[in-house]
C-alpha cells in the first residue's frame, strides 16, 4: 500500500507549487535567470518556506523547497519564450505585496498569479506592429537613412512585426517565424522604395534602409539578460540564452541576405547625413527617444514604463554616437560607457517610480545593439568574404559584450548583491 503524505508534506507541496508558478511566469516573460530565482525566493520566504534553491536555464526550472524536516524537488519546462515587461512588473509588485504583509495564504497567491497570467497583452496586433515600425524608422535615421529609408523601414517593420506577432501567438517555430518576418519586412521596404521610384519621387535603391526594416527582430532581451547571467556566473542559463539570441539573429539575417541576393543589393555603409551639428544632435536625440519608446511598447510595457526607458536612453545614446564620431572612441568603449550610464540612471529612477530595473535598462540599450553590423557579418560570410565577415562579426560581438559589461558595472555599483559571489 503506497504511503500517504502527511499534512506537513501536503502543505509544503502547495507552497512549493505556487512559488514555481511565479518562476514559470517570470521565465516565460523574458527575464534573466537571476531575476527568476530572486522572485521565487522572495515569495517562498514570505510563505514560510525555510530554504528555497533553484536551477534555472532558458527553458527549465528545477527547484527544491525545504520546510522543517520535509523537502520537495520539482522540475518544470517552459517552451513558450517571449518578452512581456508588463507581466514582469506585475510579478515584481506581487512579490512586494507578499513580502510586505503577513498572513498570505497559498490560495490568495494562486489567485493573484491567476489574474496576472490571464491578463491580456496591453496592445493588439496593429498597435504592437505600429510600435515596431516607429522603432525601426528611428533606427533607420540613426543608421544615416533619409526620408525614403525612414518611411520604408516603417512600412516594412509594420508588416513584418504584424505577421510575427500573429504567427508566434499561434505557436509557430520562433526561428522560422523570424526568417519569414525578416523577408517580409525587407521585401516590403524594397517594394515601397520601388513604388516611390515609379512615382518619380526619388532615384536609386536606398539600400541603406532595408536592413533597418528588420531590426525589430534584434533579440535585445535575451542578448542582455544572457550576458548578465554570465556576469552572475550562471553559465548554463547565460550560454543557453545567448545561443537562442544568436540563432534568432542569424535566422533573420539569412532571410534579409536572401532578399538582398535576389534583388542584387549589398549592405554598404551609407553616407553621413548632410546636416548641421546642432540639428543632427537634436534629431538623434529625438530618434533615440522615439526608438526606445517604440521598442519598450513593443515589449508590452505600460506607457509610464516605456516613457521612463526612453528618457533614460536618450542622452547616453547620443553621447555614444558622438564618442565614436567626434572623439574616435572604439565602438565597444562608447557602448560600455553608454550602457553604464543607462544602468546608473535606471538604478536611480526605477526604484523611485517602483518600476523593475530590467524593464527600463533593457529597452534602453536595445537601441544600441549592433543589428546592422551583425547582418553585414552574415551577408559577407554567406558570400564568402571572410575578411569583412570577421570584421563586422567581431565588432558586433564586442559591442554586445560591452553593453553587458557597462550594465554589469552599473549594477555592481548600485546593488551590493551584485558585488558578492553567492
Amino acid at each position: 500500500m503506497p504511503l500517504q503524505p502527511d499534512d506537513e508534506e501536503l502543505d509544503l507541496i502547495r507552497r512549493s507549487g505556487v512559488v514555481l508558478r511565479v518562476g514559470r511566469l517570470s521565465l516565460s516573460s523574458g527575464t534573466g535567470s537571476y531575476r527568476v530565482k530572486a522572485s521565487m525566493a522572495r515569495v517562498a520566504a514570505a510563505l514560510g518556506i525555510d530554504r528555497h534553491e533553484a536551477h534555472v536555464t532558458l527553458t527549465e526550472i528545477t527547484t527544491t523547497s525545504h520546510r522543517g524536516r520535509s523537502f520537495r524537488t520539482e522540475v518544470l519546462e517552459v517552451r513558450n519564450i517571449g518578452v512581456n515587461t508588463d507581466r514582469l512588473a506585475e510579478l515584481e509588485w506581487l512579490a512586494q505585496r507578499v513580502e510586505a504583509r503577513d498572513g498570505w495564504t497559498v490560495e490568495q497567491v494562486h489567485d493573484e498569479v491567476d489574474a496576472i497570467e490571464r491578463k491580456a497583452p496591453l496592445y493588439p496586433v496593429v498597435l504592437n506592429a505600429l510600435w515596431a515600425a516607429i522603432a525601426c524608422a528611428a533606427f533607420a535615421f540613426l543608421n544615416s537613412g533619409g526620408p525614403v529609408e525612414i518611411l520604408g523601414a516603417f512600412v516594412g517593420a509594420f508588416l513584418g512585426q504584424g505577421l510575427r506577432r500573429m504567427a508566434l501567438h499561434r505557436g509557430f517555430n520562433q526561428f522560422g517565424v523570424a526568417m519569414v518576418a525578416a523577408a517580409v519586412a525587407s521585401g516590403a521596404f524594397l517594394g515601397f522604395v520601388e513604388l516611390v521610384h515609379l512615382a518619380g519621387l526619388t532615384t536609386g535603391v536606398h539600400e541603406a534602409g532595408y536592413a533597418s526594416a528588420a531590426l525589430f527582430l534584434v533579440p535585445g532581451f535575451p542578448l542582455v539578460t544572457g550576458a548578465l547571467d554570465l556576469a552572475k556566473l550562471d553559465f548554463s542559463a547565460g550560454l543557453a540564452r545567448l545561443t537562442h539570441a544568436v540563432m534568432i539573429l542569424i535566422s533573420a539575417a539569412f532571410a534579409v541576405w536572401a532578399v538582398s541576393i535576389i534583388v542584387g543589393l549589398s549592405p554598404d555603409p551609407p553616407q553621413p547625413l548632410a546636416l548641421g551639428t546642432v540639428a543632427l544632435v537634436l534629431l538623434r536625440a529625438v530618434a533615440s527617444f522615439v526608438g526606445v519608446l517604440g521598442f519598450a511598447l513593443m515589449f508590452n510595457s505600460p506607457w509610464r514604463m516605456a516613457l521612463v526607458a526612453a528618457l533614460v536612453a536618450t542622452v547616453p545614446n547620443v553621447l555614444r554616437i558622438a564618442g565614436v564620431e567626434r572623439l574616435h572612441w572604439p565602438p565597444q568603449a562608447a557602448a560600455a560607457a553608454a550602457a553604464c550610464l543607462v544602468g546608473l540612471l535606471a538604478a536611480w529612477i526605477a526604484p523611485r517610480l517602483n518600476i523593475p530595473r530590467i524593464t527600463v535598462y533593457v529597452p534602453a540599450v536595445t537601441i544600441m545593439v549592433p543589428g546592422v553590423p551583425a547582418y553585414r557579418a552574415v551577408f559577407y560570410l554567406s558570400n564568402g568574404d571572410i575578411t569583412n565577415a570577421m570584421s563586422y562579426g567581431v565588432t558586433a560581438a564586442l559591442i554586445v559584450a560591452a553593453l553587458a559589461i557597462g550594465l554589469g558595472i552599473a549594477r555592481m555599483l548600485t546593488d551590493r548583491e551584485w558585488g558578492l559571489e553567492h
Side-chain angles (χ1 to χ4, degrees):
M1 181 176 178
L3 296 175
Q4 297 297 320
D6 57 26
D7 291 342
E8 181 179 328
E9 292 172 340
L10 285 173
D11 186 56
L12 179 59
I13 290 171
R14 293 165 55 245
R15 293 170 190 263
S16 175
V18 73
V19 171
L20 190 58
R21 285 192 67 196
V22 171
R24 177 177 64 82
L25 286 184
S26 297
L27 186 60
S28 65
S29 298
T31 193
S33 67
Y34 64 97
R35 290 303 312 160
V36 176
K37 295 176 184 178
S39 297
M40 289 193 293
R42 293 169 65 187
V43 175
L47 289 178
I49 294 175
D50 297 334
R51 190 168 82 255
H52 187 270
E53 300 166 343
H55 175 71
V56 180
T57 67
L58 177 65
T59 58
E60 295 177 345
I61 303 176
T62 302
T63 65
T64 299
S65 301
H66 299 262
R67 192 161 190 255
R69 298 173 300 170
S70 302
F71 70 91
R72 177 172 175 81
T73 297
E74 297 177 275
V75 179
L76 179 83
E77 186 177 30
V78 178
R79 303 305 304 177
N80 184 20
I81 305 169
V83 178
N84 188 335
T85 51
D86 180 54
R87 178 175 286 179
L88 290 178
E90 293 283 359
L91 291 168
E92 173 70 19
W93 297 328
L94 171 62
Q96 291 176 6
R97 294 195 301 272
V98 173
E99 280 184 322
R101 193 187 77 193
D102 293 331
W104 278 80
T105 66
V106 174
E107 288 74 19
Q108 287 175 320
V109 179
H110 268 302
D111 290 341
E112 293 282 341
V113 175
D114 285 339
I116 294 173
E117 189 169 16
R118 287 195 302 264
K119 187 175 181 181
L122 297 177
Y123 312 108
V125 173
V126 173
L127 279 181
N128 184 261
L130 177 62
W131 308 145
I134 290 172
C136 288
F139 239 133
F141 175 80
L142 293 173
N143 289 328
S144 299
V148 174
E149 287 86 354
I150 292 170
L151 291 174
F154 181 95
V155 172
F158 180 84
L159 295 176
Q161 175 61 12
L163 173 66
R164 178 192 184 208
R165 166 80 176 262
M166 291 187 292
L168 289 178
H169 279 217
R170 285 165 173 77
F172 288 97
N173 181 273
Q174 289 193 14
F175 305 119
V177 169
M179 294 182 70
V180 173
V184 167
S186 54
F189 171 88
L190 296 172
F192 172 82
V193 172
E194 182 63 21
L195 289 176
V196 174
H197 176 70
L198 292 175
L201 300 177
T202 186
T203 59
V205 294
H206 297 276
E207 59 190 26
Y210 77 101
S212 297
L215 290 181
F216 63 90
L217 291 162
V218 170
F221 251 84
L223 281 173
V224 174
T225 55
L228 291 177
D229 279 339
L230 291 180
K232 290 288 288 181
L233 303 182
D234 193 341
F235 294 104
S236 59
L239 291 174
R241 204 174 296 276
L242 288 177
T243 301
H244 172 256
V246 170
M247 289 180 67
I248 291 288
L249 199 58
I250 291 176
S251 298
F254 267 116
V256 178
W257 167 77
V259 172
S260 67
I261 290 298
I262 292 171
V263 298
L265 295 179
S266 62
D268 298 322
Q271 295 297 318
L273 294 172
L275 294 172
T277 301
V278 175
L280 187 59
V281 169
L282 290 176
L283 287 174
R284 281 175 173 170
V286 172
S288 298
F289 179 89
V290 171
V292 173
L293 181 68
F295 277 124
L297 293 172
M298 189 183 79
F299 293 149
N300 201 46
S301 293
W303 271 93
R304 184 180 70 133
M305 197 181 298
L307 288 169
V308 171
L311 287 170
V312 163
T314 300
V315 172
N317 193 49
V318 173
L319 292 177
R320 175 186 67 87
I321 299 172
V324 174
E325 290 185 351
R326 303 288 180 178
L327 303 179
H328 306 292
W329 286 6
Q332 60 269 26
C340 185
L341 181 55
V342 165
L344 293 173
L345 290 172
W348 183 74
I349 295 174
R352 286 165 173 77
L353 299 177
N354 196 22
I355 296 173
R357 288 193 206 183
I358 191 172
T359 63
V360 174
Y361 62 66
V362 173
V365 301
T366 296
I367 197 81
M368 306 176 193
V369 173
V372 172
Y375 159 68
R376 288 179 182 146
V378 173
F379 176 90
Y380 288 119
L381 182 64
S382 301
N383 286 347
D385 188 343
I386 304 301
T387 301
N388 273 324
M390 289 292 293
S391 175
Y392 282 113
V394 170
T395 297
L398 287 175
I399 292 175
V400 170
L403 292 174
I405 290 170
L407 289 176
I409 291 173
R411 198 67 191 248
M412 292 175 193
L413 293 174
T414 58
D415 188 339
R416 183 174 177 272
E417 289 188 2
W418 272 72
L420 301 174
E421 292 188 5
H422 64 77

